[in-house]
Amino acid sequence: MGAAVFFGCAGIAFGPALALVLLTVAAEPLRVIVLVAGAFFWLVSLLLASLIWFVSVHLSDREDARLQYGLLIFGAAVSVLLQEAFRFAYFKLLKKADEGLATISEDGRSPISLRQMAYVSGLSFGIISGVFSVINILADSIGPGTVGIHGDSPYYFITSAFLTMALVLLHTFWGVIFFDACEKRRYWCLGLVVGSHLLTSGLTFLNPRYEASLVPIFIITLCTGLWAFVTAGGSFHNILKCLSCKQEDDSRVMMYSALQVPLED
């Protein structure tokens, strides 16, 4: 039973991310490099947030449970802000790299577009964030023990898996929106990305009332995904074309009269 819970929850949490990596990233070396570097940037942000929270806890009264809970909320907020700060730093780095790749290429164009880098960097932030948020939960799911035997919710593991899946997708969407906002200097979009990130992290403090946290987070995920889709240039017409699997007829007419070989005398 423990193995079934482990593999089932792992599939829910990282199945979409694994499919995206295999289908859109693994075959391109530059995208793999962007993926790994993005994970490193997220890890540095987590390290700094952990140090701030660790110092604040040791400088406070550990016997005050209410204060410690407030410091936990403070640490989560600091972590979100540092993640977005390092996302911006990664954008600046990739922007410089994009200009350098365009300079050394033969046709003067970068082999990877900024939108592709935004998508891959967001995916890397999401994967590494999901790994750190659910890895201990997955380790405990193997057993021994029975979830809910003392009156707790028996849906702890599967709810955590769905929350992780939403977090991975949200980071991917946030990456696309954030990079586009930085490129076009749309500061209100940056504010909405940071605000929705803070809201999502804050909703997790409502657990174990999972209906109060999971439903709003998936609504945010759906809305953010639609926003990222439009930001990336998607439209309803493109969806219909994709579902119909039809190619548009080429209405152009080519004139071959000028290309005819002159007749021999």
Side-chain angles (χ1 to χ4, degrees):
M1 184 65 180
V5 173
F6 173 84
F7 286 108
C9 291
I12 292 172
F14 299 108
L18 179 62
L20 290 174
V21 170
L22 293 178
L23 294 175
T24 63
V25 177
E28 298 290 337
L30 283 178
R31 297 181 187 179
V32 174
I33 294 173
V34 173
L35 186 78
V36 175
F40 172 77
F41 269 72
W42 188 91
L43 285 173
V44 175
S45 72
L46 178 65
L47 174 62
L48 293 179
S50 301
L51 287 175
I52 294 173
W53 176 79
F54 181 80
V55 171
S56 62
V57 167
H58 279 266
L59 294 179
S60 62
D61 183 10
R62 298 189 186 181
E63 302 299 327
D64 190 342
R66 189 172 182 179
L67 176 61
Q68 295 303 314
Y69 186 74
L71 288 176
L72 184 62
I73 297 176
F74 167 75
V78 170
S79 177
V80 168
L81 295 177
L82 284 175
Q83 287 177 50
E84 298 305 329
F86 273 82
R87 198 194 302 273
F88 178 75
Y90 196 39
F91 163 77
K92 299 296 287 186
L93 177 65
L94 291 178
K95 184 70 174 176
K96 290 292 184 181
D98 183 65
E99 295 173 357
L101 290 172
T103 302
I104 63 176
S105 64
E106 296 180 355
D107 57 357
R109 294 185 300 178
S110 174
I112 180 171
S113 67
L114 191 62
R115 283 183 176 177
Q116 292 173 345
M117 289 190 288
Y119 157 72
V120 177
S121 66
L123 183 59
S124 67
F125 270 53
I127 291 174
I128 194 65
S129 177
V131 168
F132 270 80
S133 65
V134 82
I135 189 66
N136 290 331
I137 297 174
L138 290 178
D140 290 337
S141 68
I142 300 177
T146 302
V147 179
I149 195 172
H150 296 297
D152 298 323
S153 174
Y155 305 110
Y156 174 68
F157 290 127
I158 191 169
T159 304
S160 301
F162 275 108
L163 284 174
T164 301
M165 180 184 70
L167 185 64
V168 173
L169 295 176
L170 275 171
H171 269 290
T172 306
F173 302 149
W174 285 330
V176 174
I177 298 169
F178 193 95
F179 276 44
D180 182 76
C182 290
E183 181 71 14
K184 299 179 180 178
R185 299 182 182 274
R186 294 177 177 174
Y187 300 109
W188 63 272
C189 291
L190 297 177
L192 286 177
V193 169
V194 177
S196 61
H197 196 170
L198 287 170
L199 177 61
T200 302
S201 297
L203 287 171
T204 59
F205 285 94
L206 297 176
N207 294 334
R209 297 189 296 273
Y210 298 119
E211 68 279 358
S213 61
L214 191 62
V215 174
I217 287 176
F218 267 88
I219 292 175
I220 294 173
T221 304
L222 177 61
C223 295
T224 309
L226 292 174
W227 185 11
F229 176 72
V230 174
T231 300
S235 64
F236 183 70
H237 178 65
N238 292 340
I239 296 178
L240 293 179
K241 285 173 57 179
C242 179
L243 295 177
S244 63
C245 298
K246 292 181 180 180
Q247 295 182 353
E248 293 184 352
D249 295 333
D250 194 352
S251 59
R252 293 175 298 177
V253 178
M254 298 185 66
M255 302 299 294
Y256 294 96
S257 58
L259 301 178
Q260 292 178 353
V261 179
L263 299 175
E264 295 182 358
D265 293 336

